[in-house]
Amino acid sequence: MAFDYVIVGSGFFGAICAYELKKRGKRVVVLEKRKHIGGNVYTETRDGINVHVYGPHVFHTSDKEVWDWINQFVTFNNYRVQTVAMYEGQAYSLPFSMWTFSKLWPEVTTPEQAKEMIKSQAWVGEPQNLEEQAMQLVGREVYEKFIKGYTEKQWRKSAKELPAAIIKRLPVRFTYDNNYFFDIYQGVPIGGYTQIFDKLLQGIEVKLETDYLQNKDFWDTQGTVIYTGAIDQLFDYEYGVLEYKTVEFDHQHLEVENFQGSAVVNYTQAEIPYTRIVEHKHFEFAKTASTWITYETPVEYTKDKEPMYPVNDATNNAIYARYKEKADAKNILLGGRLAEYKYYDMHQVIRSALNFVNSDRIAL
């Protein structure tokens, strides 16, 4: 065989595998069907601003080992996620905190008052779907103004059809603290994310605009395959098409210094088609005369669209299990968000990749 490992995809999982395996003397090649490395974390410098081309990415973790590992390649700034939610022309703080509750209910100024207000509107019983779970967490009014419209246009499904687990990721706190994440380590790489992948893949053969699936029979003979793409595509949708949430990005350059005053503003009303506007300069506090913004609009997922976030309901998970069994039988190694059909944050992908290359699944 020409290589020990053929790695499909140059996002975090694939790039980390390539880097770590090369350190151990393994011969690796990375196949990337796009024109660039870095997967959905790819950033591109435009007019002095690092644009997050596939949506905003803010690194956060409490895993010190992962934090120390990623800091080999980049220096992070101290950016903290403090999202704005826009509803009927009024700006509210996200995540849900005392700032949110006290503006929504002016008579509420203490945590106990907020809890009592939510309790009076809360869903009673064991939540069976996202709507019921959300109302149990934050009450009916917060749900209807800030969650229902945003979630249903984002997932293109009724909140009653979505699993309750999705909303459990949303922070709710009864303090005047609008930092979205509790993690110890947070920030955005100074100079963008792409430099991380440049360093990870330095000295490694990378074939851009190369679709493994178009020449699968050949590449399968060139080394053990580590596959990070969509698993249903791998088997030509034999057991059905897995569902994903996906969005379209409309990047715009504006000749204004500061468009919205925040890196991310969510638009929670159902009648507004886009879910959020991203202003990229605020991630790195850029001092530029102009700005780049991105409208993110959810669209229906079809096989020709970019798969982004798995819809992990019982039906899709059962389909995935059949694909996983077939991959295991063929000794195709799977990793990452698409191949594992699992929602991962960046630090979780890094942890998964580091665990993978140190496991008995890799021949040392």
Side-chain angles (χ1 to χ4, degrees):
M1 289 188 176
F3 303 96
D4 295 307
Y5 292 95
V6 175
I7 299 172
V8 182
S10 67
F12 263 125
F13 196 96
I16 290 169
C17 287
Y19 175 82
E20 292 291 336
L21 292 170
K22 179 178 179 289
K23 282 200 311 184
R24 301 173 194 185
K26 301 298 182 181
R27 297 165 299 154
V28 300
V29 62
V30 175
L31 311 181
E32 173 55 62
K33 68 179 181 180
R34 289 174 171 169
K35 296 179 180 181
H36 60 76
I37 58 176
N40 286 354
V41 190
Y42 172 71
T43 51
E44 185 174 283
T45 304
R46 303 180 183 180
D47 302 293
I49 298 166
N50 293 308
V51 175
H52 298 220
V53 175
Y54 301 98
H57 291 82
V58 178
F59 198 89
H60 60 96
T61 186
S62 293
D63 187 330
K64 188 175 186 305
E65 184 180 355
V66 166
W67 180 249
D68 290 343
W69 186 90
I70 196 67
N71 272 269
Q72 299 175 82
F73 309 102
V74 73
T75 299
F76 286 86
N77 64 19
N78 65 345
Y79 178 82
R80 298 292 186 269
V81 176
Q82 299 178 49
T83 300
V84 175
M86 196 70 70
Y87 178 79
E88 294 188 344
Q90 293 290 311
Y92 296 84
S93 178
L94 281 182
F96 300 127
S97 70
M98 288 303 298
W99 290 114
T100 318
F101 304 139
S102 62
K103 181 168 184 178
L104 183 62
W105 306 308
E107 70 276 18
V108 169
T109 58
T110 69
E112 283 306 311
Q113 289 173 330
K115 289 177 183 178
E116 283 300 315
M117 181 68 80
I118 289 170
K119 184 178 179 181
S120 71
Q121 305 176 7
W123 177 267
V124 178
E126 184 63 29
Q128 300 300 309
N129 54 50
L130 187 148
E131 178 170 283
E132 294 170 3
Q133 181 67 71
M135 286 195 291
Q136 189 173 88
L137 285 171
V138 291
R140 179 175 294 276
E141 188 172 2
V142 171
Y143 164 71
E144 290 181 345
K145 289 185 175 180
F146 302 125
I147 297 175
K148 178 178 170 61
Y150 184 90
T151 300
E152 291 185 345
K153 65 184 175 181
Q154 185 182 47
W155 291 92
R156 300 181 64 83
K157 285 188 175 187
S158 166
K160 294 178 181 179
E161 299 176 47
L162 292 167
I166 292 174
I167 202 67
K168 290 181 180 179
R169 301 179 65 253
L170 187 67
V172 179
R173 60 189 62 140
F174 295 93
T175 59
Y176 286 94
D177 177 4
N178 59 356
N179 182 14
Y180 199 95
F181 298 113
F182 287 112
D183 289 303
I184 299 170
Y185 310 109
Q186 301 182 43
V188 171
I190 298 171
Y193 281 95
T194 303
Q195 60 185 312
I196 299 173
F197 299 91
D198 287 334
K199 293 172 183 175
L200 285 171
L201 296 172
Q202 187 174 1
I204 292 170
E205 184 173 354
V206 178
K207 294 183 178 294
L208 298 177
E209 298 183 86
T210 301
D211 189 343
Y212 160 77
L213 297 177
Q214 295 299 313
N215 204 4
K216 185 175 178 298
D217 289 341
F218 168 76
W219 288 112
D220 285 351
T221 67
Q222 299 303 297
T224 299
V225 173
I226 299 175
Y227 182 78
T228 72
I231 193 169
D232 54 351
Q233 292 179 14
L234 176 63
F235 295 113
D236 198 25
Y237 309 102
E238 178 180 351
Y239 304 128
V241 178
L242 289 168
E243 286 187 276
Y244 292 90
K245 182 185 76 171
T246 192
V247 299
E248 289 184 347
F249 303 99
D250 179 13
H251 304 298
Q252 298 184 15
H253 181 242
L254 304 179
E255 292 295 341
V256 297
E257 184 179 347
N258 185 357
F259 175 73
Q260 64 185 15
S262 175
V264 180
V265 176
N266 290 355
Y267 287 80
T268 63
Q269 292 167 252
E271 57 268 27
I272 296 174
Y274 46 88
T275 50
R276 60 186 178 184
I277 301 175
V278 178
E279 188 167 11
H280 302 270
K281 68 186 301 177
H282 296 302
F283 290 117
E284 296 183 61
F285 320 111
K287 306 296 183 184
T288 56
S290 62
T291 193
W292 276 90
I293 66 169
T294 302
Y295 289 84
E296 293 190 11
T297 303
V299 293
E300 183 179 357
Y301 175 72
T302 54
K303 290 189 292 186
D304 61 322
K305 297 286 195 304
E306 191 67 39
M308 290 192 171
Y309 306 100
V311 181
N312 288 118
D313 59 17
T315 300
N316 284 294
N317 288 343
I319 294 171
Y320 170 77
R322 297 183 70 187
Y323 284 126
K324 173 69 163 61
E325 183 178 4
K326 185 164 185 174
D328 289 344
K330 291 180 173 292
N331 196 35
I332 298 173
L333 302 177
L334 304 173
R337 175 175 44 88
L338 299 181
E340 296 182 62
Y341 199 65
K342 184 176 182 180
Y343 189 98
Y344 274 128
D345 285 329
M346 286 181 287
H347 67 287
Q348 294 168 325
V349 176
I350 293 172
R351 166 51 63 198
S352 176
L354 293 176
N355 288 347
F356 174 80
V357 294
N358 289 307
S359 72
D360 56 9
R361 299 171 70 192
I362 293 294
L364 299 178

